[in-house]
Amino acid sequence: MKLSVKIRLFSSLFMLVLILLVNTSIYYLFHTISLDRELEDLSTQTNEMVETLNNNPNTSTSDMLEAFLPPEGLIRVIREDGSYVAQMMKADYTALPSNYVTSETRSIIQMNDQPDFATVAKPIIWENGNVVTIQVYKHLTGHSSTMETLFYVLVVASLIMLIPTIIAGFFLSRFITRPVQELTAAMKENTTYGNWKKISETDQSKDELYEMKVTFNRMIDHLRENFEKQEMFVSDASHELKTPISIVKSYSQFMKRRGADNSELLQESTEAIESQADRMQKLVEQMLLLAKNKDREVYEPFDIVELCRSTAETFKGAYDRDISFSTTADILQVNGSYDQLQQVVYILMDNAVKYSRGAVKISVRQDTQCIKVNVQDNGPGIPEAEQEKIFDRFYRIDKSRNRETGGTGLGLSIARAITEAHDGTLTVSSTAGGSTFKLQLPDSQKG
Ligand code: ADP
């Protein structure tokens, strides 16, 4: 069943039940009050009659009873043995039960198809000194017709009240289901045609449905962004892998044709194949790393001074270069993944060593709200126009020169992704006399 039908059905049924409940209560309340009033009136009339009888002993009893006989009713004077002293009636009401009572009783009697009768019976002392019962019946035709009129009035009122409920249910269902329908249509279109369709956010109400639309649109933006990034990454990666693969292929074909009788060529080819295989391995490793960096590791505080000092030591040991380390404090805490941030410093140091021939300096410094790590070299520098581009995936300034240095163009984009995941920044300032890569991280003790 459609949501709109459910809403309409529910609101109409709910209102119908409510109206029925209220109107039934009104009907029965009115019925009870009105019957009580009839009995009360009849009792008063009976008392008046008894008083008149007592005060006028000389007047004919039948005349008196006649005078007090209700328009459609019956008066009986009943002896203890059930026989009648007198009986007056306007129509044939002989079937109405007679009761001898010792105290006043009031009741409503129902006769088959006829409207109800109200009856009051009370004991009185009759002329001869005997105790008899005087019983008065009154036919409730007026009450029955009033109740019938009330019934029709309430039925019509219920129907009139239901009409606005049905109309309100219709508008309510439209109000709720329209954004849901829009959302479903957009999702269907997106899945069928591979589109990135969004839905309009023009509502002024800023309610939950508006929130749902905004969230959906944000999700579409996010998915689109990720999809485009992924697509770009796959095309860049396949493009980058194509070159070493074609080099390997051409060298192996070369070896197959002429390698057997030319040892120099064999040597050159195997070396080229090996170096290309190394390059592909590095490329694949870094691509996997880039994909892995999306997962946030468990972050905990650690000393960045120790990290930079030990990295400087490792590089000093591995390369015969002038690598110096300086710091403004013995211990500086940052919050994050030690392994990931070590990788950032390794990438910066590796580049500094690769792209310069002179001294490399690594320094750690505490600033007002952050900790700064600078890696400085005196290499050829990076032209200003390229300074942002080097952080893009696979971007290398001078491809032929970089091929000699075995670069993949992925290092700095990995370093920046890790830094941003740590709420930090990675920038470069460079002149012809050298480059300084500046890593800035939040100070865990000041955060
Ligand atoms: P890779 O070093 O593997 O090529 P990176 O992303 O680490 O990839 O660096 C991108 C490019 O930025 C490098 O190819 C190089 O041209 C340039 N670059 C990086 N660091 C330096 C540096 N310290 N000095 C000069 N150029 C640099």
Side-chain angles (χ1 to χ4, degrees):
M1 195 192 281
K2 277 188 165 185
L3 183 63
S4 58
V5 179
K6 277 186 195 167
I7 294 171
R8 267 180 254 167
L9 211 68
F10 176 78
S11 58
S12 305
L13 273 178
F14 179 76
M15 203 57 194
L16 186 71
V17 170
L18 200 75
I19 291 170
L20 278 179
L21 252 156
V22 171
N23 286 350
T24 315
S25 312
I26 291 175
Y27 184 85
Y28 279 103
L29 202 70
F30 186 83
H31 180 70
T32 318
I33 292 173
S34 151
L35 285 182
D36 279 351
R37 172 125 347 127
E38 291 282 0
L39 284 171
E40 190 63 46
D41 288 352
L42 197 61
S43 171
T44 316
Q45 276 170 27
T46 312
N47 288 342
E48 274 173 21
M49 182 169 64
V50 171
E51 218 172 294
T52 316
L53 278 171
N54 289 342
N55 294 342
N56 301 291
N58 300 326
T59 319
S60 145
T61 310
S62 55
D63 287 350
M64 295 270 259
L65 294 180
E66 181 83 50
F68 279 98
L69 186 61
E72 284 178 68
L74 164 95
I75 297 179
R76 275 186 194 139
V77 181
I78 310 158
R79 289 193 195 89
E80 195 176 355
D81 60 6
S83 61
Y84 302 150
V85 177
Q87 177 167 252
M88 298 278 163
M89 57 186 123
K90 284 276 162 83
D92 181 17
Y93 295 134
T94 44
L96 289 168
S98 68
N99 306 329
Y100 180 83
V101 296
T102 50
S103 60
E104 183 178 334
T105 58
R106 299 171 183 189
S107 52
I108 301 293
I109 305 283
Q110 250 171 342
M111 293 293 289
N112 301 334
D113 294 336
Q114 296 206 42
D116 301 339
F117 286 85
T119 178
V120 170
K122 62 190 296 170
I124 58 163
I125 309 225
W126 199 241
E127 300 152 347
N128 53 11
N130 288 342
V131 178
V132 293
T133 292
I134 185 148
Q135 185 171 27
V136 185
Y137 273 98
K138 187 184 171 191
H139 201 178
L140 299 174
T141 42
H143 166 80
S144 301
S145 69
T146 309
M147 289 315 294
E148 200 175 326
T149 313
L150 180 67
F151 176 78
Y152 289 119
V153 166
L154 290 178
V155 168
V156 172
S158 305
L159 291 177
I160 291 172
M161 276 191 270
L162 257 184
I163 294 167
T165 311
I166 292 168
I167 296 173
F170 174 76
F171 282 107
L172 181 74
S173 69
R174 253 171 63 129
F175 178 73
I176 294 176
T177 53
R178 196 186 280 164
V180 178
Q181 280 167 350
E182 265 180 68
L183 196 79
T184 316
M187 285 197 280
K188 267 188 195 160
E189 192 180 318
N190 290 347
T191 43
T192 316
Y193 305 108
N195 290 349
W196 300 103
K197 195 181 172 190
K198 297 205 264 179
I199 47 180
S200 86
E201 295 172 13
T202 46
D203 320 22
Q204 302 293 311
S205 52
K206 305 270 180 284
D207 54 14
E208 287 87 343
L209 292 170
Y210 173 79
E211 277 284 305
M212 183 186 78
K213 288 180 182 181
V214 173
T215 314
F216 174 79
N217 287 347
R218 262 195 231 140
M219 186 189 76
I220 291 287
D221 282 339
H222 188 70
L223 284 176
R224 181 183 200 152
E225 217 172 273
N226 276 350
F227 181 80
E228 282 171 357
K229 269 191 200 165
Q230 215 174 20
E231 223 176 24
M232 205 174 77
F233 180 76
V234 171
S235 73
D236 283 356
S238 53
H239 180 259
E240 291 305 309
L241 281 168
K242 241 189 239 162
T243 320
I245 288 172
S246 57
I247 296 174
V248 167
K249 209 170 164 189
S250 60
Y251 267 107
S252 49
Q253 280 167 352
F254 208 33
M255 270 164 61
K256 216 158 108 188
R257 273 188 276 127
R258 293 169 51 196
D261 39 68
N262 190 337
S263 62
E264 214 175 292
L265 187 78
L266 194 70
Q267 178 71 14
E268 189 194 323
S269 303
T270 43
E271 270 169 21
I273 288 171
E274 196 183 354
S275 101
Q276 290 307 317
D278 281 347
R279 190 171 137 69
M280 277 193 281
Q281 189 182 13
K282 202 167 175 185
L283 205 63
V284 169
E285 272 167 13
Q286 289 202 310
M287 283 190 320
L288 288 175
L289 208 74
L290 204 60
K292 212 176 102 189
N293 273 332
K294 282 183 189 134
D295 305 328
R296 195 179 166 110
E297 285 190 10
V298 181
Y299 286 0
E300 43 195 35
F302 66 87
D303 179 17
I304 190 99
V305 175
E306 184 278 320
L307 186 153
C308 294
R309 195 195 310 270
S310 66
T311 311
E313 291 303 319
T314 310
F315 272 79
K316 235 193 243 178
Y319 303 92
D320 184 21
R321 295 280 293 269
D322 175 7
I323 295 170
S324 64
F325 169 74
S326 67
T327 178
T328 56
D330 285 341
I331 296 175
L332 288 172
Q333 298 269 2
V334 295
N335 197 37
S337 153
Y338 185 95
D339 290 345
Q340 287 187 350
L341 287 174
Q342 187 182 47
Q343 201 185 340
V344 174
V345 180
Y346 261 71
I347 290 169
L348 301 182
M349 289 292 286
D350 191 44
N351 281 350
V353 171
K354 263 194 310 198
Y355 301 116
S356 78
R357 299 202 190 281
V360 173
K361 288 182 192 159
I362 174 164
S363 64
V364 188
R365 179 160 58 91
Q366 189 174 30
D367 213 345
T368 36
Q369 283 298 316
C370 60
I371 289 168
K372 292 178 169 175
V373 177
N374 285 358
V375 176
Q376 192 186 345
D377 64 57
N378 57 6
I382 302 155
E384 211 175 323
E386 316 253 20
Q387 284 179 14
E388 248 327 285
K389 291 184 190 158
I390 54 170
F391 293 98
D392 292 345
R393 284 166 183 173
F394 302 109
Y395 191 85
R396 288 164 296 168
I397 297 173
D398 177 348
K399 299 203 175 181
S400 59
R401 186 187 74 191
N402 280 317
R403 197 150 292 141
E404 275 168 38
T405 55
T408 59
L410 281 171
L412 287 177
S413 64
I414 293 172
R416 187 169 257 186
I418 296 174
T419 311
E420 282 171 358
H422 282 78
D423 298 325
T425 55
L426 179 62
T427 51
V428 64
S429 72
S430 186
T431 59
S435 313
T436 305
F437 281 84
K438 299 171 178 179
L439 168 68
Q440 201 166 304
L441 294 164
D443 189 338
S444 76
Q445 280 165 342
K446 292 197 176 150

